Structure formats: structure tokens, C-alpha cells
Amino acid sequence: MLRILEKIQRIGIITEPLPPLAEPSLAVIGEQLKARIGERFKGSLAIREVDAGSCNGCELEINALNNPWYGIERYGVHFVASPRHADLLLVTGPVSRHMEEAVKRTYDAVPEPKLVVAVGECACNGGLFGVSYASCGKVSNVIPVDVTVPGCPPTPAALLQAILVAIQRAK
């Protein structure tokens, strides 16, 4: 143990610089999101996430929205367990035949005005699964979709941007 500590003291901390962000500033997107949520949803947007048969790559990025770096809750967005409390559905994955009815029921349970965002390549266009005996394909084959977020998986910044676009398109 002492040998490792002596080496650390002798060499110091070696880190790489952060790569430049190619995406729009998170603070700018976040402030726009907060303003739109304040106008249209009285300051709070409730999201229900539905996994319709994905590989969980998109769920990892959705979960990253709650970490301290993205901190989506500071903009007035929170995730809820019941679709009856939700304003927006985030649906991931191609809709498997076993999840088709569950996705329809979840959509029906969300009160009006409801927004749907399809997250990831599989939700947007069926991905490599497409329509088959086990898959209904893209989410829009089962329920109406307002915004799609391509990517496998899409970045949390792209998800924030898609939520903002969905809110701006809301009536």
C-alpha cells in the first residue's frame, strides 16, 4: 500500500482533458425547457418511461438524465410510476407483440394533452427487428408519436432536446 501511495505522490495525478462538447449547451436547452414547462405545464412535467422491448441501452441514457451532470429535475421534469400522473411518454425499443397491449393501455391511461416521444432507432423505425412474428416494429405502428429521437442509444442531451421539441409542439 505504501509503495502505491509513494508512486502516486511521485508521479501526481494524470488525467486527460475533457473533450469539447459537440452538442448544444445543456444550460441553454435546460433553461428553454424550464421556461416552456412553466408556460404549458404550470412548472412541472411528469414523464412515464415505457420499455416496449428494448436492449436497455436507451434506458441507461434516460437514467443518466437524473444524474448530477444533467440534473433534469432542476428544470421541473420528473419521472412518475403511473401513466395516470404523466404528461409525456418516453417509449423505447421496438414494440414486441407481448407489449403491444400494454403500450396501448399505457397510452390510453395518460390524460390529455398527452405527448409521446419514441427514443432510439428501434422505437423510431423498428431497428434491425422491424415487423415480424415477434415485433410490431416502430412505436408509431401502435400509438401516435409526436417526436422521434434517433440514435443507438441517443445521448441525454438529445433526449432533453426532444422533450423540448415535444413541449413546443404541444397544443
Side-chain angles (χ1 to χ4, degrees), residues 151-171:
C152 188
T155 64
L159 293 170
L160 278 174
Q161 185 69 40
I163 292 168
L164 176 62
V165 169
I167 292 170
Q168 289 173 339
R169 290 184 184 173
K171 295 173 182 147

